[in-house]
Amino acid sequence: NSGKVNYLAFQGLVRQWLKLNGELVTEDQLQAVWRFLDAGKTGHITGGDFGSFIRKGDHVHDASKGEPLRDTILRARERHAIEVRQHRAEFEQQRKEEVKAAQALKADLVASARTIELDSFRQSPQRMRARNETLAGEMRKARYERWHKSVRKGNVAVASSEEQDRISELLNSHVAQIFPGIGKNKWFCFFKWMDA
């Protein structure tokens, strides 16, 4: 719980938990909102950044009070079944690309490990463990940088005010389904969930 959320956590919860597919919010729109939220280009947003954005669509909670929760959940489940089928191909392709990138990185690390002199095999277990932790950290950092670059690489502009309002309303309406018994601060629960 760092109090900050990166793009992967934001994207994952919007797509997987809120079930906002590419028809409702395209990847470019999601990245445009992220660029708005991450104005400092740090790669992270805070609860304050997210809260001020999500409050733009907070009025949907007042409009949806007349709808039974059972109907809302049923519609959400139906949408989810359709979206799962639609996203299966996209997810599999993304997974294949990640595996390929990880294999390439692993091959590079193996190649560099082979160049280490024989003295490295005589190092103490603590030094070897520290080296392994460093290599693992480099792999995690390289993976994160690949993801962060994928957000930056496109020519996606910052979301317009209208896009921000529309997406904020969508997030609010879907967050209400996940946290039905909580008052107007559902967004804070949602942010804490992303930060976990």
Side-chain angles (χ1 to χ4, degrees), residues 172-185:
N172 269 285
S173 63
H174 284 75
V175 166
Q177 295 171 15
I178 293 176
F179 302 106
I182 301 172
K184 279 200 158 206
N185 287 332

Side-chain angles (χ1 to χ4, degrees), residues 36-37 46-58 164-165 168 172 187:
F36 165 74
L37 292 171
T46 65
D49 299 330
F50 186 73
S52 62
F53 164 71
I54 204 75
R55 282 189 196 106
K56 289 178 171 221
D58 203 22
Q164 294 171 30
D165 291 345
S168 178
N172 269 285
W187 70 266

Side-chain angles (χ1 to χ4, degrees), residues 4 42 44 62-65 89-90 115 130 139 142 148:
K4 297 178 182 178
T42 61
H44 297 89
D62 298 332
S64 66
K65 285 187 179 176
E90 290 176 22
T115 61
M139 288 177 72
H148 196 62

Side-chain angles (χ1 to χ4, degrees), residues 96-113:
K96 286 178 184 179
E97 290 172 6
E98 285 180 10
V99 168
K100 187 176 180 180
Q103 287 172 342
L105 183 60
K106 184 177 178 180
D108 289 345
L109 290 173
V110 168
S112 67

Side-chain angles (χ1 to χ4, degrees), residues 5-191:
V5 170
N6 65 22
Y7 178 75
L8 293 178
F10 175 69
Q11 178 193 43
L13 282 173
V14 167
R15 296 290 188 219
Q16 294 170 1
W17 290 101
L18 296 182
K19 309 298 182 205
L20 290 172
N21 65 21
E23 292 176 13
L24 293 172
V25 179
T26 67
E27 192 60 32
D28 285 349
Q29 289 171 330
L30 194 61
Q31 289 180 9
V33 166
W34 180 260
R35 285 182 182 229
F36 165 74
L37 292 171
D38 186 24
K41 296 183 181 178
T42 61
H44 297 89
I45 59 171
T46 65
D49 299 330
F50 186 73
S52 62
F53 164 71
I54 204 75
R55 282 189 196 106
K56 289 178 171 221
D58 203 22
H59 61 276
V60 300
H61 298 293
D62 298 332
S64 66
K65 285 187 179 176
E67 181 179 4
L69 181 60
R70 185 172 145 202
D71 294 343
T72 303
I73 292 172
L74 180 61
R75 275 198 332 276
R77 286 181 180 164
E78 289 169 352
R79 279 193 313 264
H80 173 64
I82 292 167
E83 291 167 8
V84 165
R85 285 183 226 112
Q86 291 173 344
H87 290 291
R88 187 170 282 151
E90 290 176 22
F91 178 75
E92 195 58 38
Q93 180 62 30
Q94 183 181 10
R95 186 177 173 281
K96 286 178 184 179
E97 290 172 6
E98 285 180 10
V99 168
K100 187 176 180 180
Q103 287 172 342
L105 183 60
K106 184 177 178 180
D108 289 345
L109 290 173
V110 168
S112 67
R114 289 181 180 156
T115 61
I116 297 174
E117 298 176 9
L118 289 174
D119 291 341
S120 66
F121 292 105
R122 293 184 204 123
Q123 292 177 354
S124 67
Q126 293 85 6
R127 288 185 67 192
M128 291 299 288
R129 199 171 299 120
R131 176 162 170 69
N132 288 342
E133 288 172 4
T134 302
L135 290 174
E138 289 173 5
M139 288 177 72
R140 282 190 299 274
K141 183 179 177 185
R143 180 173 182 240
Y144 174 75
E145 287 174 358
R146 278 194 319 273
W147 278 100
H148 196 62
K149 284 179 185 177
S150 73
V151 172
R152 287 193 207 164
K153 76 179 177 183
N155 292 330
V156 178
V158 173
S160 68
S161 182
E162 293 81 20
E163 275 186 309
Q164 294 171 30
D165 291 345
R166 186 181 78 75
I167 294 172
S168 178
E169 289 170 1
L170 279 170
L171 290 179
N172 269 285
S173 63
H174 284 75
V175 166
Q177 295 171 15
I178 293 176
F179 302 106
I182 301 172
K184 279 200 158 206
N185 287 332
K186 290 173 176 47
W187 70 266
F188 185 72
C189 295
F190 181 58
F191 184 84

